[in-house]
Amino acid sequence: MSGQFCENLSRLEEKLGYKFRDPKWLETALKHKSALEGRDGECNDKLEWLGDAVVGLFIADYLFYNYDKPRSWLSLMKSKWASEECLARVARRIDLGSFVKLGKGEEKSGGREKDSIISSTLEAVVGAVFVDSGSYEATKKVLEKIFLKEESLEFLFLPLNYKGLLQRWCLQKMECIPKYEVIQEDKAFPRYLVGVKINGKIVAYGEGPNKKKAEQAAARQAWEALVAENHRPH
C-alpha cells in the first residue's frame, strides 16, 4: 500500500474508533467492484454481505432492549433503519465516500455520492471489523460510535425521504413506480390532500401545507403500511 493510502486508512480507523490487526480487511472493504475494471480480484461484495447481517443484528439488538413494542413495529423500524438511505446517512457522517476505491466510470458519474455505493461500503467496513476482531462486541462498539452520536437512533433517522423509500420498495417488490395525485387543494389555508397510487390504486393519503410535504406524508403512510404487511406473520 502507498503511504498516502495508509494515511487514509489511519484517518478512517480514527473515525471508526478501531485499529485493524490486518489492514487488508479494511482495504478490501473499501474496494467497490467497479475498481476491478473487469479484472479478476477481490472487491467488497462478500464483506458487504456479512456486514449487512451484523448491522441488522445491531439494530435488532438496540430495538429489542430499548422498546417494549410488538414484533410488527420492531420489524418495521428495523427495515427503516437498515434501509439504504439511512445507512448512507451514517456513512456520510464519517465521510466514507472519500475513502472508497472506484472504477473510472463510477468516479466520473459521482459514485462517491451515491447512496447505494456508500451504504454498501459501510456494510463492508462493518463486515471487515467483524472478521478482523472476531468479535460481535468489538464490532458493536464501532457501530455505537458511528450510529449513536446523538441520544438515540431516532435522532439520526428523522426526517426520512419516504418517497425515496417507497419508490425503492415498489421497484423491488412490485416492479412499478408510485404516482401522486392531488385530491383536495385549499390555497387560502393552505392545505393539500394527496393520494399515492400503486399500480393505479390509491393505497394511502397524506396532508400538508404544500404538495411536497403532502406527498411525503402519503408516502410515509403507504410505506409503513406496506412494510408492516410484508412483515406480518403468515
Side-chain angles (χ1 to χ4, degrees), residues 173-192:
K173 302 291 184 180
M174 306 183 76
E175 297 183 349
C176 68
I177 294 176
K179 308 281 188 181
Y180 297 87
E181 179 180 325
V182 176
I183 306 300
Q184 291 179 2
E185 181 179 343
D186 184 351
K187 292 183 178 179
F189 186 50
R191 177 63 57 180
Y192 291 82

Side-chain angles (χ1 to χ4, degrees), residues 64-197:
F64 182 84
Y65 286 106
N66 286 279
Y67 294 94
D68 183 16
K69 297 285 188 179
R71 175 177 173 173
S72 59
W73 187 93
L74 295 172
S75 295
L76 179 64
M77 290 301 105
K78 180 174 178 288
S79 176
K80 181 190 295 184
W81 292 350
S83 69
E84 180 180 285
E85 182 185 5
C86 286
L87 295 184
R89 191 173 297 187
V90 175
R92 288 191 176 97
R93 290 165 58 138
I94 58 172
D95 192 28
L96 189 59
S98 68
F99 298 95
V100 183
K101 294 185 71 175
L102 298 170
K104 293 178 182 178
E106 281 293 353
E107 192 73 73
K108 288 180 180 179
S109 65
R112 295 183 188 281
E113 296 301 319
K114 292 180 181 177
D115 283 3
S116 58
I117 289 179
I118 60 174
S119 62
S120 62
T121 302
L122 177 67
E123 290 174 329
V125 168
V126 171
V129 172
F130 183 77
V131 173
D132 187 74
S133 66
S135 164
Y136 171 67
E137 289 304 316
T139 312
K140 183 179 178 181
K141 289 180 180 178
V142 172
L143 287 164
E144 287 174 340
K145 179 178 175 62
I146 62 177
F147 272 75
L148 303 179
K149 286 186 176 181
E150 278 92 7
E151 191 175 338
S152 67
L153 285 175
E154 293 87 337
F155 288 92
L156 174 62
F157 296 141
L158 293 175
L160 288 177
N161 178 8
Y162 284 96
K163 286 183 68 175
L165 287 173
L166 180 63
Q167 180 165 309
R168 280 192 287 273
W169 191 91
C170 287
L171 286 170
Q172 291 171 0
K173 302 291 184 180
M174 306 183 76
E175 297 183 349
C176 68
I177 294 176
K179 308 281 188 181
Y180 297 87
E181 179 180 325
V182 176
I183 306 300
Q184 291 179 2
E185 181 179 343
D186 184 351
K187 292 183 178 179
F189 186 50
R191 177 63 57 180
Y192 291 82
L193 176 66
V194 168
V196 56
K197 291 182 175 180

Side-chain angles (χ1 to χ4, degrees), residues 184-221:
Q184 291 179 2
E185 181 179 343
D186 184 351
K187 292 183 178 179
F189 186 50
R191 177 63 57 180
Y192 291 82
L193 176 66
V194 168
V196 56
K197 291 182 175 180
I198 296 178
N199 284 332
K201 179 182 177 183
I202 292 181
V203 297
Y205 297 91
E207 286 188 278
N210 55 52
K211 284 191 281 188
K212 184 177 180 180
K213 290 188 176 180
E215 288 176 354
Q216 281 287 350
R220 176 173 183 169
Q221 292 295 326

